[in-house]
Amino acid sequence: SHPSTLTSLNHLASLLKKQGKLDEAEPLFRCALERREEQLGTSHPNTLTSVLSLAGCLREAGRVVEATSLFRRELDACAARLGDEDEETLASARNLVLLLDQTESTEEVRQLRARFRL
């Protein structure tokens, strides 16, 4: 698939998500992610955008364990590529902390807050 097609697929999934059609959005997010992983690799910025999009959809669907795994993956990739002090990495850390705060993962939240000075 052409990169523009994958961007459009992600946009369509985002629109469905905003409409509350999470069951329709999720497979599109997954498709965009899988194809971007194949074409661009797992740590490419566009792939990571798809990771975040799918994670957000899963979070809204109440599938916190799956969402947490994807948010962790995105944070690890950002930190490796950009460093712990980059704004994108810090935004990723904040996303994960917000989700973990809901799951009462207090030790991991404490560690993330210390590492990223949140």
Side-chain angles (χ1 to χ4, degrees):
S1 296
H2 191 277
S4 295
T5 303
L6 298 180
T7 298
S8 295
L9 186 62
N10 215 58
H11 288 319
L12 175 58
S14 294
L15 178 62
L16 291 168
K17 179 181 161 223
K18 285 179 185 176
Q19 294 174 343
K21 299 176 181 178
L22 301 177
D23 290 341
E24 293 178 48
E26 181 188 341
L28 298 180
F29 281 132
R30 286 192 187 280
C31 181
L33 174 57
E34 289 168 10
R35 290 184 182 165
R36 281 181 167 165
E37 287 173 332
E38 291 168 4
Q39 291 179 6
L40 304 172
T42 58
S43 60
H44 188 279
N46 291 348
T47 303
L48 297 177
T49 296
S50 289
V51 170
L52 278 179
S53 296
L54 178 57
C57 183
L58 294 171
R59 178 187 58 214
E60 283 192 33
R63 294 163 58 191
V64 176
V65 172
E66 289 176 86
T68 301
S69 175
L70 288 170
F71 278 118
R72 278 191 190 110
R73 172 183 162 185
E74 197 271 339
L75 173 58
D76 291 344
C78 278
R81 186 170 51 91
L82 303 169
D84 283 2
E85 295 181 16
D86 183 85
E87 281 304 313
E88 189 174 332
T89 304
L90 294 173
S92 297
R94 284 185 207 100
N95 282 335
L96 182 56
V97 164
L98 287 172
L99 186 62
L100 291 172
D101 271 341
Q102 297 171 7
T103 65
E104 300 180 19
S105 300
T106 53
E107 181 56 27
E108 186 174 3
V109 168
R110 189 194 62 72
Q111 291 172 359
L112 287 167
R113 287 184 192 276
R115 176 180 170 189
F116 296 102
R117 294 183 218 111
L118 301 175

